[in-house]
Amino acid sequence: MVRYAIILIGPPGSGKGTQAEMLAERLGFFHWSSSNTVKHWMTKHPDHPLVKKSMENYAKGGLFEPELMAHVVEQESEQILKKHKGIIYDGSPRTLPELHEAWPFWKKTFGKNNILVINLKLELENAQERLTKRLICEFDHPYIRGEGGLVVGSICPKDGTKLKLRDLDNPEVIKVRFEEFKKQTIPTLEFLRHQTSVLDVDASKAIAKVFEDVINKLTPHLKALKNAKNKKT
Ligand SMILES: [Zn+2]
């Protein structure tokens, strides 16, 4: 039976999480949100040697072990694939060492041709413009500055708390996150381009348009999925 892996790669502000969620719903695949899945696995296996080692590194300001990510991918993906035809990986791999660790499992489980990569392309200036428009309330409800006259200090209609910018969304922090993405994650794209199909999508457009482009580029590759074709939102 054909199983698909769709790997989403994109910098901060590219809408990666949103696109992953929409794709998962459209295709009936599982949405793998790396931080959630890995953290959940770690709380279930606190005594695993890789978890202990990663927590020590993390406390010192380092990244989680690449082996831990690969191990969680392997363990969890096998369970997920008992119930789903595919997995949308959002946030894994983040680094080349992670990808090197996980690649043999991915290749064996899905087959090279059934691993598809979506590269959500966005310039730093677009990300800064987009993210600095984002307002959140005390309970993280998201809003867009300017829409409906909302400004910093407006009141959330749902709970009455004040809207503010996220600390992560100031232009300088976005620049640092972008540079981190270029250094850590862009090398995974280079590796993946040599292995399988990488579909480049312009992520500067509106969410619905980006999603349409993603679907149009993916569809010819998802031959075994009849229901992925000719559906319009
Ligand atoms: Zn709120």
Side-chain angles (χ1 to χ4, degrees), residues 136-159:
I136 51 158
C137 76
E138 295 293 321
F139 298 96
D140 286 341
H141 297 128
Y143 298 94
I144 311 243
R145 188 158 62 172
E147 276 183 14
L150 292 175
V151 294
V152 173
S154 292
I155 300 296
C156 173
K158 290 176 185 156
D159 50 51

Side-chain angles (χ1 to χ4, degrees), residues 205-216:
K205 299 175 191 167
I207 290 172
K209 177 68 182 129
V210 175
F211 185 61
E212 199 186 311
D213 290 351
V214 167
I215 290 289
N216 286 341

Side-chain angles (χ1 to χ4, degrees), residues 16-17 31-43 58 64 68-69 72 89-92 94 98:
K16 182 163 59 74
H31 176 193
W32 173 287
S33 168
S34 189
S35 49
N36 290 344
T37 312
V38 175
K39 272 182 211 150
H40 184 66
W41 194 89
M42 288 171 82
T43 53
Y58 193 67
F64 287 157
L68 173 70
M69 194 289 274
V72 177
Y89 290 97
D90 161 16
S92 303
R94 242 189 82 200
E98 282 183 6

